[in-house]
Amino acid sequence: MQPIRQILEDAPDAIPVPEELRHRRVEYILWSLDEDADKAKMGTVSSDYERSRVDRIEIPSRKERNARR
């Protein structure tokens, strides 16, 4: 069975599930394609919001990561 991908220009309150997918294990992903609307709802988001400023990244060895405490 092929996955269903559909873009809705104006999403309704409820999204119908096709009959062939009802009562089955499914994955449903809702993803906003309108980034401007997301930013307007959350207020102004600085570009630093998603980035961390660090001086150095330390990655422990596998032995250190798996050591029992």
Side-chain angles (χ1 to χ4, degrees):
M1 177 179 289
Q2 293 293 321
I4 297 170
R5 181 176 183 194
Q6 184 178 12
I7 295 176
L8 303 171
E9 293 300 326
D10 185 22
D13 292 332
I15 299 172
V17 176
E19 182 123 5
E20 63 270 10
L21 295 177
R22 291 181 190 166
H23 306 293
R24 297 181 68 179
R25 187 171 182 240
V26 298
E27 177 182 76
Y28 205 88
I29 300 172
L30 295 176
W31 189 325
S32 174
L33 299 177
D34 187 6
E35 292 179 24
D36 294 334
D38 292 341
K39 288 180 182 178
K41 287 181 183 178
M42 294 183 342
T44 57
V45 177
S46 71
S47 61
D48 293 337
Y49 179 74
E50 296 179 8
R51 295 185 195 101
S52 296
R53 296 184 191 272
V54 295
D55 295 327
R56 190 171 94 184
I57 298 175
E58 293 184 24
I59 302 174
S61 69
R62 176 178 283 178
K63 186 176 181 180
E64 290 172 325
R65 289 193 313 260
N66 294 323
R68 297 195 183 258
R69 296 173 190 225

